[in-house]
Amino acid sequence: MHDGTRVMAGQCTTVFEGSREREQRGDVLVVVKPDNTVLVHDAEGYQPVAWLTRAETVAVEDGTVTASDGEQFLRVVAHEEHGSARFPASQAGVPVGDCPACPGTLVRARSDVTCTDCGDRYGLPTDATINGSRCDDCGLPTMRVERGAAIECCLDRDCESLDERVKDEFDREWPCKHCKGDLRVLRRGGLLVGCENYPDCDTGYSLPSGVAVGDCDCGLPLFETSGGLRCLDSRCSKEA
Ligand SMILES: [Zn+2]
Ligand SMILES: [Zn+2]
Ligand SMILES: [Zn+2]
Ligand SMILES: [Zn+2]
C-alpha cells in the first residue's frame, strides 16, 4: 500500500531553484503524491504554480514542505497554515465489483485489477474483458479472454489458471508445419504454441486474441480476430 497523499493549505512562500528560479507568495494548496511528486496550486488556472515531479526526497514537517531532485529544489513554507493532513491514496479505475476479501471495491486500471481498500492486486491481459460474472470458488470477478477460444476464468491465477485452460483446449491440437511434432502451449511473456521438438525445430506462434474458426490450407487453424480472419502463422498468405 502507498503511504498516502499529503496535503497542506496555507499562506505560503514557495521557492523553486533549478532550471528557473522563482519565489512566490500566496494562499496555496500543496499536494505531495505517493510517488513524491509535489504540486503547488493557487487560485488561478489549472496548472500548478510550482512543482517537482517524482522528487528523490520529500520532507513534510511543521508547515514546511521540502523536496529535492538533483539540481532542483522546492521549498514551501507556510506563514499561516490553514490545514494539513494525510489521506489514503489508491489507483483509480473502472469499478468491476466488490472485493471478496474486504468491504472495498475492485477497480480496473491499465492491466490490473486492484482493491481500493486492502490493496489486493490481480494482473490481467490488456485484451481481457470483465462482464460482471463471479468465480464460483472464490467470489472474485471472472475475466473473458480470447486465446483460440473464448475463455472465461477467475481473475486470480492461483484459483484458476488461464494457461491451464488454454492447454486443455489446444495443447497438441495442431501439427508443426516443418516436422512431425505437435505444437505445445507455453508461456514466454504471452501465450504461444511451439513445436515439441524444440530446439531441433524452432517453429512457434503467439496465440492471437481471437477464436479458432476453421483450418487454413497450410494445416494450421484460422482465427477470427478484431483485425479479420488470419492464420495462426501470421506470415502465412494462404488465408481463406
Ligand atoms: Zn479488498
Ligand atoms: Zn476464483
Ligand atoms: Zn516442428
Ligand atoms: Zn496458414
Side-chain angles (χ1 to χ4, degrees), residues 175-183 194-198 200-204:
C176 175
K177 278 203 281 190
H178 299 111
C179 74
K180 301 250 180 257
D182 285 339
L183 295 178
C195 183
E196 64 177 339
N197 292 325
Y198 181 86
D200 294 331
C201 176
D202 64 359
T203 302

Side-chain angles (χ1 to χ4, degrees), residues 4-234:
T5 296
R6 288 166 289 179
V7 296
M8 178 178 81
Q11 171 141 155
C12 301
T13 293
T14 300
V15 175
F16 182 88
E17 294 167 14
S19 52
R20 60 199 189 287
E21 305 216 353
R22 205 133 93 118
E23 178 173 322
Q24 294 153 296
R25 179 162 175 157
D27 288 291
V28 296
L29 174 69
V30 187
V31 179
V32 181
K33 297 183 67 180
D35 69 353
N36 276 0
T37 293
V38 181
L39 305 165
V40 182
H41 287 282
D42 73 348
E44 303 298 319
Y46 66 93
Q47 285 193 311
V49 292
W51 68 91
L52 203 51
T53 307
R54 298 194 182 104
E56 271 161 22
T57 63
V58 177
V60 185
E61 53 196 354
D62 296 338
T64 303
V65 176
T66 312
S68 68
D69 193 284
E71 303 287 286
Q72 301 196 307
F73 177 81
L74 176 65
R75 186 174 66 236
V76 189
V77 179
H79 306 285
E80 186 189 337
E81 190 178 282
H82 306 316
S84 69
R86 179 196 293 268
F87 297 114
S90 69
Q91 176 167 252
V94 178
V96 294
D98 299 331
C99 178
C102 82
T105 298
L106 296 168
V107 299
R108 177 182 187 172
R110 302 171 199 93
S111 61
D112 53 29
V113 169
T114 53
C115 174
T116 53
D117 284 17
C118 68
D120 278 0
R121 176 180 293 262
Y122 306 93
L124 75 171
T126 50
D127 60 333
T129 54
I130 295 176
N131 59 16
S133 303
R134 291 194 164 257
C135 174
D136 292 335
D137 294 325
C138 72
L140 277 170
T142 56
M143 64 175 171
R144 182 183 186 278
V145 64
E146 293 183 348
R147 290 291 180 276
I151 291 171
E152 178 116 15
C153 74
C154 184
L155 275 186
D156 184 354
R157 287 165 200 272
D158 294 331
C159 178
E160 184 180 20
S161 160
L162 170 65
D163 294 18
E164 290 304 324
R165 294 281 304 275
V166 174
K167 276 180 194 156
D168 288 347
E169 297 268 0
F170 299 118
D171 195 43
R172 297 186 181 279
E173 185 70 16
W174 304 305
C176 175
K177 278 203 281 190
H178 299 111
C179 74
K180 301 250 180 257
D182 285 339
L183 295 178
R184 308 295 309 266
V185 172
L186 31 119
R187 180 173 284 277
R188 296 280 182 278
L191 279 169
L192 49 91
V193 287
C195 183
E196 64 177 339
N197 292 325
Y198 181 86
D200 294 331
C201 176
D202 64 359
T203 302
Y205 314 100
S206 65
L207 270 175
S209 179
V211 175
V213 291
D215 297 319
C216 179
D217 292 342
C218 75
L220 291 173
L222 284 171
F223 289 85
E224 183 81 63
T225 70
S226 57
L229 207 58
R230 54 156 282 197
C231 179
L232 173 62
D233 179 357
S234 60

